[in-house]
Amino acid sequence: MPDNDNNPKGPNAVTVTTTPPATLDAERGELLAALATARSALTNTVRGLSEEQLGECPTVSALCLGGLIKHVASIEEGWLRFVVEGPSAMRYDLPEGVTWADLAAGTAREFPQWAIDHQNDFRMLPGETLAGILQRYEQVAARSEQVIAAVPDLSATHPLPEAPWHEPGAVRSVRRVLMHVLAETAQHAGHADILRETLDGQRAT
């Protein structure tokens, strides 16, 4: 796909690439710059698409481009909230009488709201638009940079919330959270590039 960076004010401009403040120390600046680059790689895949195309699933997977951006924004937002609030920011409570096995099998009599939200993040819902999805991602990115600029120490840790995918008693440092968000964003940027090329033959990179 042609690079449209020379026309940032166009109708399909992507701006989720905020630059880290110059006052940050080198490590924070480099991590945030790498994350901004990964965000840009992801959002570049949706330039020129309609809302309908954002919701299409052009491969055998259930992934769509709009859903990938929503998902990555939610992941970043949740982990940076964890940096500030600790494990209470990422609770995975289950309804009474529902087990993790029920949830995994899809047979739970009631699904927790966090699980419903997680599934909806992978879809384009009625009324959602490209502009709205990108605006939210910009807000998440700006908040992340504020949090990382303000946190006293990247080595500071919080215990992980209880969940089957977290090892018991594990902790995560701010540094590792940033690295996880960066890896997640880069991974899904690759998925998005494949979806875009499958959708209309255009490449984002």
Side-chain angles (χ1 to χ4, degrees):
M1 180 179 181
D3 189 345
N4 293 326
D5 286 343
N6 292 328
N7 183 27
K9 301 299 182 182
N12 296 306
V14 175
T15 58
V16 188
T17 56
T18 51
T19 303
T23 54
L24 290 178
D25 60 64
E27 183 182 14
R28 296 178 201 226
E30 289 176 3
L31 285 169
L32 287 176
L35 180 54
T37 298
R39 290 193 201 102
S40 180
L42 173 59
T43 57
N44 282 346
T45 64
V46 300
R47 284 179 168 172
L49 295 182
S50 67
E51 268 73 45
E52 181 179 5
Q53 288 173 309
L54 287 177
E56 290 185 25
C57 302
T59 70
V60 295
S61 81
L63 297 177
C64 66
L65 285 166
L68 278 181
I69 293 177
K70 288 174 56 182
H71 168 69
V72 172
S74 292
I75 290 294
E76 180 172 335
E77 183 180 46
W79 276 109
L80 269 293
R81 196 164 58 243
F82 169 83
V83 166
V84 176
E85 302 174 18
S88 63
M90 300 175 70
R91 294 176 61 96
Y92 301 109
D93 296 331
L94 296 178
E96 185 176 353
V98 173
T99 68
W100 286 109
D102 296 332
L103 202 64
T107 58
R109 58 177 177 75
E110 180 183 357
F111 288 86
Q113 188 60 48
W114 60 262
I116 295 171
D117 292 342
H118 179 74
Q119 289 300 316
N120 284 338
D121 277 340
F122 282 103
R123 307 183 181 108
M124 283 290 289
L125 301 178
E128 290 183 329
T129 64
L130 173 60
I133 289 171
L134 292 180
Q135 181 181 34
R136 185 207 170 195
Y137 200 12
E138 290 173 355
Q139 293 168 345
V140 169
R143 174 58 178 162
S144 295
E145 292 184 0
Q146 291 172 355
V147 169
I148 297 305
V151 71
D153 184 358
L154 293 183
S155 297
T157 63
H158 289 302
L160 288 176
E162 293 185 14
W165 52 88
H166 291 159
E167 58 271 32
V171 300
R172 288 291 182 272
S173 67
V174 179
R175 182 180 294 104
R176 189 163 176 184
V177 164
L178 265 179
M179 293 173 65
H180 174 75
V181 172
L182 174 57
E184 181 96 6
T185 306
Q187 178 185 38
H188 285 311
H191 294 155
D193 213 11
I194 293 170
L195 291 178
R196 178 60 191 261
E197 190 170 358
T198 306
L199 187 65
D200 63 2
Q202 297 296 316
R203 296 183 180 182
T205 56

